[in-house]
């Protein structure tokens, strides 16, 4: 056996954004993430240069299509902009997303901070028939 230690990977804000994206899109009642004009403009600002130079960092912010993930001092915070299915109660969907994202962040070793979910649209699922 070797005494050589295994090098762990650093959990980045980009990874947290990816985890939050996947978790959100797998939640029943979520139709999609909603990129906003505000998020688009933020990506064009100084944060865009940061993302180009360092695409996700252990301490910093990463933004992508309706998701903002920030890591600071071992705590991960996430903001999500989503569209929900009208067949589900929007408040229940948002709370489920928050709980699931919080749980998945805790598996990374980071402390889950604030998980904000903004519902920007409530609409019928494309495959659903309206009566």
């Amino acid at each position: 056996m070797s005494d050589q230690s295994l090098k762990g990977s650093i959990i980045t804000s980009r990874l947290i954004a990816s985890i939050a994206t996947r978790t959100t899109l797998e939640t029943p009642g979520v139709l999609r993430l909603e990129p906003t004009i505000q998020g688009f403009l933020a990506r064009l600002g100084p944060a865009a240069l940061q993302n180009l130079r360092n695409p996700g960092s252990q301490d910093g912010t990463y933004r992508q299509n309706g998701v903002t993930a920030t890591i600071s001092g071992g705590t991960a915070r996430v903001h999500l902009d989503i569209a929900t299915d009208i067949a589900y109660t929007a408040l229940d969907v948002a709370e489920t997303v928050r709980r699931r994202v919080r749980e998945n962040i805790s598996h990374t070793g980071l402390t889950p901070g604030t998980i904000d979910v903004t519902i920007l649209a409530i609409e019928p699922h494309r495959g659903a028939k309206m009566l």
Side-chain angles (χ1 to χ4, degrees):
M1 291 210 327
S2 170
D3 288 329
Q4 184 180 16
S5 63
L6 297 175
K7 293 184 179 180
S9 64
I10 295 175
I11 305 298
T12 65
S13 53
R14 184 177 188 166
L15 177 64
I16 296 301
S18 177
I19 289 169
T21 297
R22 187 189 74 240
T23 302
T24 300
L25 294 175
E26 290 174 352
T27 301
V30 173
L31 295 176
R32 66 184 172 276
L33 290 164
E34 282 283 335
T36 63
I37 296 295
Q38 179 181 5
F40 175 73
L41 293 175
R43 283 199 319 269
L44 291 178
L49 291 176
Q50 177 189 357
N51 286 343
L52 289 174
R53 286 187 209 124
N54 186 8
S57 61
Q58 190 167 21
D59 278 327
T61 299
Y62 182 79
R63 290 177 181 89
Q64 117 187 356
N65 299 331
V67 179
T68 302
T70 303
I71 299 176
S72 178
T75 300
R77 292 172 198 72
V78 176
H79 179 88
L80 301 153
D81 294 318
I82 65 172
T84 62
D85 187 336
I86 198 169
Y88 293 79
T89 304
L91 186 57
D92 291 343
V93 172
E95 190 54 42
T96 301
V97 166
R98 287 179 48 155
R99 181 181 45 77
R100 293 181 72 211
V101 169
R102 179 177 299 283
E103 181 181 314
N104 286 340
I105 288 173
S106 70
H107 294 304
T108 68
L110 293 174
T111 302
T114 305
I115 311 297
D116 290 321
V117 179
T118 302
I119 300 168
L120 297 178
I122 301 172
E123 37 189 74
H125 188 271
R126 293 177 207 241
K129 292 182 180 179
M130 296 300 290
L131 298 177

